[in-house]
Amino acid sequence: MGAANAGTILAQISADGGGAIADAVVYAIPASGPASASQATALMAQENQEFTPFVLPVQVGTNVEFPNRDSFRHHVYSFSAAKPFELKLFSGKERQVVTFDKEGIIALGCNIHDNMLAYIYAVPTPYFAKTGDDGKATIANLGAGAYTLKVWHPTKKPAAKKLS
Amino acid sequence: MFQKFQTKLVLLFALLFAAVQGVSYLSVQNTVRNNIFDQARDQLTRAYAVFEKNVEDTTTVLAEGSTILAKDFGFRQAVATNDRPTIMSAIDNLSTRIKADRVILVAPDNKIIGDTGTASDAAADGNIVTVGEANAVFQFPEMIAQADEEGRANSITVMDGQIYQTVVVPIGAPVTIASLVIGVEINTIYVATLAKKFTVPLDITFAKSPAEGEWIVGTSTLKPELAAGLGGALRTADTSATQVAKTLTLGGRDFVTLIASLPSPSSSAKIDAAIQYSLDASLIPFEPLFLTLLGLAGGTLLLTLIASFFIAGGVSKPIRVLDAAARRIQSGDYREKVNIDQKDEIGRLSQTFNQMMDGIAQREAKIEYQSLHDPSTELPNRLAFERRLNGAIAEAQKSNAALSVYLVQIGRFSEINNTLGHDTGEQLVAKIGDNLQRIIKQSDVVSRHSSSIFALLLPGAGSNQVNPIVERILDSFDEPLSVGGNAIDVTAWIGEACYPEHGITAKMLLQRADTAIFEAKKSSQHYALYNAQLDPYKPERLSMMGELRSGLDRGEFRLYYQPKIDIATEKITAAEALIRWIHPVRGFMPPDAFIPLAEQTGNIQKLTSWALDTAIAQVAAWKAKGIDIKVAINLSARDLSNRNLPHEIERVMAKHGATIDQLILEITESAVMEDPKQSMEVLSALNKMGAILSIDDYGTGYSSMSYLKSLPVQEIKIDKSFVMKLSSNKGDEILVRSTIDLGHNLGLKVTAEGVEDRAGLDILKTYGCETGQGYHISKPVPAADFEKFFLTSRWSPLPQSAAANA
């Protein structure tokens, strides 16, 4: 983990063996208490029978839109305790928004396509970032103060997709 | 039991036949078994494929059914939201649909969320069992992991003691939120169903196969008692090579077995399956064939036994006949011939047997004849004679009869052999044998007893009269016998012994007859009947011989001296030393009682030696005292055959300082005649030494004047029987006178013994007889008495004054 400088955190996440870990969520919780709920929006698209992005960190309260960019239907669901939901989606026709108002990991699946898997990670802070393929992430615009820095990353990758 | 040839042969046939039958039966059985084994292997290989497919199919059914449920959105939602009633009803529904015996829902942390329990549990409450235990954990986490990775895992597992074919599928939402474990119990129904899918009857067994040791049989189509044995028969070490058919024996029955290795979780007991094909069951269709074969074998074996019994009987019967014949030969019976009317080898063998019997009988007869006959005379030999004699004795014993045994000895036989040769000797004996046979009766026995002795066995004639045959035999020797151009003069003596008075055994009679020959030789008649009194071999006489020897050592013998006077001067000139035995028990023993005995037994030499020593010592002692006389000592026939005698006399004389002119040696005619050649040698030597030799007892033997002339003697001593009655018997007077004249004519001096009276002495003086001896002068007296007599009597040669002074 990188050093926390005033205003910016540069994090480098690597596995025990030394390899860089992508799609890890790094977030800093200010000691002053939780920030107010976000009004921001985010996207979790379905494209080529895959969720994109694989990991989507959001601040609690963020509205996430699930656009279907495929020509066929998806049935996005989550049984995760933070946000169970179910969206029967048709390509391009409907705009579906889900507000993630609870902190936690939300595993996303498609009832039609078993291989599809994605995670939405709702964090109680606006200061978060996701590592790239190089395992690096940067949290900017940090106010002065003490923070608790946390990291999470999914263990399971989506299965290879089966295309008919 | 197997002694008989026939039995052996029958047994051999039977064994051979049984062996052939047995081998062919076993070979048929083996071929059948091998075929069945090959068949079984093929069947098993096919069955194995069926088995694998069946397991796979079951797995597929389970996997597909459970996957459908695992993917069901509602079910996943129920699991995700822990909607237990929904979950359980879905599981129940699934188990019914795919005929699963057990369904378990497992959380990602391996904790069991729900479990239908074992089939028996389910049957008990008819419902799903919810595992209440907080810590219930699924035993095979590796299956969960594998299912998570691969979407499915399948294994044969053991849960709660039951074997299951087990499939695990994950429930993805979309990450795995739980796993479904679906199991089909491998129970008797399972295996029975499975077994039905095989085209041939096979047994299938699922069993735990631990890394080492026996298998633990789980479920099996085998009967329980056979299944129990399978665990022992299967050892992991033996079954490491799976899919290779091998034969196992269970409960005495053979099973071709194939081992199917099944996937098992590493944390579970390993389960394998054995697929088995019963060879014995497969052999059942062949049983009638085997029974037929056995029946055929038994039947033909019986026929063989019967046939071989008769064949063997045909062979062994003549052998038994020959065996019996051989036994007869062994016991010496050659009369009964072997009668086998066959043209084959056995027939020829029996012919040979008969010839052999004849040959043996002839040879035996010949050997017996030779062993009992003398080859020269063809007469029975000693052995045969003794047998006949023993037989005759036995007969005589029964009938109280008497027997006579005669021994006829031929004189000079060794001389004849030496001079004319052995062949001539044997011809002579043969001729004598012929003569003897002619003389005796046909029923009497004559045999050759030894080289010069014939033995005759005649019925007893009574011992008080001589059998005229004796006369005839002796007469037959009167004429010279003509043998090989030689006319041979043969002398013979006959000794007789009678049964039972002289002996009751053959041996004793022959010995006594032999003793009688000894007496016969002394007799002018050339014949003697055994006389116990004269028998030196009679026990009491033998004991006396022993006493005689010890008596000499103990000094029981004395020499008595009888004076001899010069008849012309009537003065003592000599003394005859006469031996006396003062026996400690018997008292005074006359010389006649022991001298002949000593002569016969060879003790006379000892006696002579003692007498010589004593007499010479005495005469030397006397001379030292002025008693200058000669001493006369008697020599026996034995002494005359002792070449050493002259040296001995010389030695004794030297020892006592006597001179030879003091010695007169008296010898009898018969003593000289016994071995004339040897006697002549000894006498010549003594004569040379200067000893005076005198013929004793002259007139009693067959004195031949011409022979007497050739002897180196200086004196004859007329026997006392002629002298004693000289004064009263005219005949004796003439005889004495002519004898004296004859002696003088031959240049010999004459001594007369037995001078009993003055008249006799005067007659002798008239005739010019030189020396006189007899009771008229003095009887024999001990040395001391003689000394006194010499000095004091009127016969003393000393002057009367000297005699008176002494």
Side-chain angles (χ1 to χ4, degrees):
Chain A
M1 192 159 312
N5 298 319
T8 303
I9 293 171
L10 289 171
Q12 167 74 53
I13 308 301
S14 47
D16 285 345
I21 290 179
D23 290 328
V25 178
V26 182
Y27 59 103
I29 300 167
S32 53
S36 56
S38 170
Q39 296 299 313
T41 58
L43 280 181
M44 175 57 81
Q46 302 103 56
E47 197 170 2
N48 293 328
Q49 208 179 314
E50 276 181 352
F51 285 110
T52 180
F54 173 51
V55 173
L56 176 64
V58 295
Q59 191 184 355
V60 172
T62 303
N63 294 314
V64 179
E65 207 176 314
F66 290 82
N68 182 355
R69 288 168 190 162
D70 285 324
S71 56
F72 43 79
R73 285 175 64 174
H74 288 289
H75 180 175
V76 178
Y77 68 90
S78 171
F79 297 133
S80 300
K83 189 65 186 182
F85 71 95
E86 189 181 348
L87 297 171
K88 290 171 179 161
L89 297 170
F90 299 90
S91 100
K93 289 179 184 168
E94 292 162 68
R95 190 170 160 269
Q96 296 277 14
V97 176
V98 178
T99 304
F100 291 89
D101 44 11
K102 265 194 219 162
E103 185 186 335
I105 303 156
I106 298 98
L108 300 179
C110 174
N111 199 31
I112 298 164
H113 307 103
D114 286 349
N115 63 299
M116 288 170 69
L117 172 65
Y119 295 95
I120 291 172
Y121 194 60
V123 295
T125 175
Y127 312 112
F128 57 84
K130 188 176 77 170
T131 59
D133 288 344
D134 55 1
K136 285 177 179 163
T138 307
I139 304 169
N141 305 317
L142 287 160
Y147 294 87
T148 302
L149 193 68
K150 292 188 173 176
V151 178
W152 171 90
H153 76 94
T155 53
K156 188 165 184 177
K157 299 287 174 198
K161 72 181 168 188
K162 290 174 198 158
L163 292 173
S164 49
Chain B
M1 164 180 191
F2 302 125
Q3 294 297 309
K4 274 179 73 182
F5 176 70
Q6 189 176 12
T7 318
K8 281 183 185 169
L9 207 62
V10 170
L11 231 100
L12 183 71
F13 277 149
L15 279 175
L16 268 174
F17 194 80
V20 169
Q21 291 288 344
V23 166
S24 65
Y25 177 79
L26 286 176
S27 129
V28 167
Q29 207 186 32
N30 201 37
T31 308
V32 168
R33 280 187 85 93
N34 282 343
N35 279 335
I36 287 178
F37 183 82
D38 289 345
Q39 247 177 53
R41 206 166 45 191
D42 292 349
Q43 292 289 358
L44 281 174
T45 310
R46 254 172 268 148
Y48 185 77
V50 170
F51 170 79
E52 270 197 323
K53 175 102 177 31
N54 193 68
V55 171
E56 209 175 283
D57 286 354
T58 305
T59 303
T60 307
V61 168
L62 292 179
E64 283 176 355
S66 51
T67 304
I68 289 166
L69 179 65
K71 294 257 166 84
D72 184 83
F73 189 76
F75 179 68
R76 285 193 290 187
Q77 196 168 33
V79 172
T81 57
N82 200 20
D83 177 359
R84 294 189 74 85
T86 309
I87 292 167
M88 296 312 166
S89 67
I91 287 173
D92 200 21
N93 183 53
L94 174 70
S95 73
T96 312
R97 196 171 73 221
I98 63 174
K99 296 188 181 71
D101 295 306
R102 190 156 190 187
V103 181
I104 305 168
L105 189 63
V106 184
D109 59 1
N110 275 326
K111 289 217 174 111
I112 290 173
I113 301 164
D115 186 353
T116 58
T118 59
S120 52
D121 290 341
D125 59 12
N127 215 332
I128 296 160
V129 177
T130 305
V131 176
E133 297 160 52
N135 291 327
V137 169
F138 185 61
Q139 302 162 56
F140 312 115
E142 65 271 39
M143 286 187 77
I144 302 289
Q146 192 195 354
D148 200 21
E149 281 289 315
E150 299 167 13
R152 174 204 286 194
N154 64 287
S155 273
I156 308 293
T157 63
V158 180
M159 293 185 288
D160 304 318
Q162 290 288 345
I163 304 170
Y164 289 94
Q165 186 174 346
T166 315
V167 173
V168 178
V169 292
I171 301 168
V175 293
T176 303
I177 53 169
S179 297
L180 260 179
V181 178
I182 305 98
V184 172
E185 208 175 281
I186 297 179
N187 52 22
T188 46
I189 300 162
Y190 181 99
V191 290
T193 313
L194 188 53
K196 274 181 199 153
K197 291 179 179 166
F198 301 134
T199 52
V200 289
L202 294 172
D203 284 303
I204 182 151
T205 302
F206 285 83
K208 288 184 195 176
S209 56
E212 280 176 11
E214 296 180 1
W215 287 28
I216 298 148
V217 173
T219 314
S220 179
T221 55
L222 287 169
K223 284 179 185 158
E225 65 271 20
L226 296 179
L230 182 62
L234 283 172
R235 285 174 176 274
T236 311
D238 304 332
T239 56
S240 53
T242 54
Q243 291 217 51
V244 176
K246 63 197 72 192
T247 307
L248 294 177
T249 306
L250 297 177
R253 290 158 61 184
D254 288 344
F255 287 86
V256 184
T257 306
L258 203 64
I259 304 300
S261 188
L262 299 169
S264 298
S266 58
S267 60
S268 166
K270 178 99 171 74
I271 298 292
D272 283 328
I275 309 167
Q276 293 179 292
Y277 187 101
S278 168
L279 269 186
D280 291 345
S282 315
L283 282 170
I284 290 169
F286 293 95
E287 264 169 13
L289 169 68
F290 291 140
L291 281 175
T292 309
L293 276 175
L294 277 175
L296 274 172
T300 45
L301 179 61
L302 190 68
L303 283 174
T304 307
L305 276 171
I306 294 164
S308 60
F309 180 81
F310 285 109
I311 292 168
V315 176
S316 74
K317 192 189 167 199
I319 289 175
R320 282 201 299 274
V321 171
L322 287 171
D323 179 43
R327 279 171 205 277
R328 284 200 302 276
I329 292 173
Q330 192 187 27
S331 63
D333 174 9
Y334 311 112
R335 287 162 302 173
E336 198 181 325
K337 296 287 179 258
V338 183
N339 190 15
I340 297 171
D341 193 18
Q342 275 175 237
K343 294 268 177 273
D344 55 9
E345 293 89 336
I346 291 167
R348 285 202 293 280
L349 178 61
S350 68
Q351 289 306 311
T352 312
F353 237 78
N354 288 337
Q355 287 160 13
M356 189 174 81
M357 270 197 250
D358 289 342
I360 292 173
Q362 279 169 19
R363 279 194 293 280
E364 208 176 87
K366 194 175 170 190
I367 289 166
E368 196 184 358
Y369 181 85
Q370 284 173 347
S371 73
L372 294 174
H373 287 79
D374 170 56
S376 299
T377 58
E378 298 283 322
L379 290 175
N381 62 12
R382 181 188 205 132
L383 179 68
F385 185 80
E386 282 180 14
R387 275 193 200 171
R388 297 281 283 273
L389 181 51
N390 276 323
I393 287 170
E395 288 285 314
Q397 210 164 19
K398 278 183 217 155
S399 57
N400 259 334
L403 293 169
S404 278
V405 172
Y406 297 89
L407 288 182
V408 180
Q409 181 167 22
I410 305 158
R412 299 194 299 130
F413 185 63
S414 59
E415 206 177 308
I416 292 164
N417 266 343
N418 292 341
T419 321
L420 300 172
H422 183 75
D423 286 349
T424 311
E426 287 305 299
Q427 283 174 39
L428 175 70
V429 167
K431 190 146 202 163
I432 295 168
D434 285 348
N435 288 344
L436 289 173
Q437 228 162 4
R438 229 175 294 126
I439 292 162
I440 63 164
K441 283 195 208 124
Q442 195 79 42
S443 59
D444 299 335
V445 183
V446 59
S447 76
R448 186 162 181 198
H449 193 63
S450 69
S451 65
S452 64
I453 298 179
F454 290 89
L456 282 78
L457 171 61
L458 272 65
S463 63
N464 47 3
Q465 64 177 91
V466 177
N467 193 319
I469 276 184
V470 171
E471 196 73 24
R472 291 221 294 276
I473 291 169
L474 289 172
D475 286 351
S476 74
F477 291 100
D478 283 351
E479 295 293 317
L481 293 165
S482 170
V483 172
N486 298 301
I488 304 169
D489 236 332
V490 181
T491 323
W493 298 277
I494 299 177
E496 182 186 354
C498 299
Y499 171 88
E501 52 196 292
H502 298 145
I504 54 164
T505 64
K507 204 174 168 182
M508 201 183 283
L509 286 170
L510 285 166
Q511 191 193 313
R512 301 247 146 122
D514 196 51
T515 307
I517 288 181
F518 191 86
E519 292 301 320
K521 282 180 181 172
K522 291 184 185 170
S523 150
S524 52
Q525 293 168 310
H526 280 225
Y527 159 82
L529 179 65
Y530 172 75
N531 178 356
Q533 298 306 308
L534 300 175
D535 187 348
Y537 305 105
K538 285 201 61 132
E540 67 265 26
R541 291 169 69 89
L542 284 176
S543 88
M544 203 160 97
M545 283 303 98
E547 287 170 19
L548 190 141
R549 280 194 294 274
S550 58
L552 266 176
D553 295 337
R554 285 200 294 262
E556 289 168 13
F557 288 85
R558 298 273 184 282
L559 281 183
Y560 275 40
Y561 297 91
Q562 189 172 33
K564 286 181 170 187
I565 57 157
D566 178 354
I567 292 175
T569 61
E570 295 192 4
K571 299 296 174 204
I572 299 170
T573 56
E576 183 179 2
L578 293 161
I579 202 157
R580 296 288 182 266
W581 184 7
I582 319 297
H583 193 277
V585 179
R586 300 177 213 253
F588 184 86
M589 297 274 284
D592 285 353
F594 62 91
I595 295 293
L597 194 64
E599 275 186 335
Q600 283 167 22
T601 55
N603 284 296
I604 194 71
Q605 281 188 11
K606 264 193 172 163
L607 220 50
T608 306
S609 293
W610 174 82
L612 277 170
D613 190 68
T614 310
I616 290 169
Q618 186 63 65
V619 80
W622 279 333
K623 191 173 183 180
K625 288 184 179 178
I627 304 172
D628 188 7
I629 54 164
K630 295 180 199 299
V631 69
I633 298 165
N634 291 285
L635 294 182
S636 78
R638 294 292 172 111
D639 294 324
L640 290 184
S641 61
N642 178 11
R643 287 165 201 260
N644 205 34
L645 186 71
H647 303 291
E648 195 184 334
I649 291 174
E650 257 179 351
R651 187 180 58 75
V652 176
M653 305 264 277
K655 180 179 159 194
H656 299 294
T659 49
I660 195 74
D661 59 338
Q662 292 178 283
L663 202 60
I664 301 167
L665 297 172
E666 294 187 6
I667 47 180
T668 62
E669 276 174 290
S670 61
V672 176
M673 294 312 282
E674 213 154 284
D675 190 352
K677 202 177 157 197
Q678 185 65 46
S679 303
M680 187 65 93
E681 257 179 48
V682 174
L683 291 177
S684 301
L686 291 171
N687 184 48
K688 241 183 193 167
M689 278 164 59
I692 298 162
L693 300 178
S694 172
I695 297 290
D696 202 3
D697 301 339
Y698 188 81
T700 54
Y702 289 94
S703 303
S704 143
M705 269 303 149
S706 59
Y707 190 66
L708 195 61
K709 213 169 82 179
S710 70
L711 289 176
V713 298
Q714 289 79 38
E715 189 183 285
I716 53 172
K717 198 170 173 186
I718 302 171
D719 191 73
K720 56 177 176 266
S721 58
F722 302 111
V723 180
M724 277 156 74
K725 292 172 188 127
L726 189 60
S727 55
S728 56
N729 190 317
K730 202 72 189 159
D732 283 350
E733 197 186 323
I734 297 164
L735 210 140
V736 169
R737 184 179 177 173
S738 58
T739 304
I740 291 168
D741 286 347
L742 191 74
H744 286 167
N745 287 340
L746 288 172
L748 303 173
K749 289 186 173 167
V750 181
T751 301
E753 57 178 329
V755 180
E756 303 271 290
D757 48 22
R758 182 70 225 182
L761 186 63
D762 287 340
I763 295 168
L764 288 168
K765 195 181 272 184
T766 322
Y767 295 158
C769 182
E770 280 82 2
T771 312
Q773 176 185 351
Y775 276 36
H776 176 65
I777 300 147
S778 169
K779 61 177 185 180
V781 291
D785 294 350
F786 178 85
E787 209 171 299
K788 200 189 237 176
F789 183 82
F790 179 85
L791 294 173
T792 57
S793 74
R794 61 169 289 258
W795 311 100
S796 172
L798 300 175
Q800 284 305 307
S801 55
N805 292 343

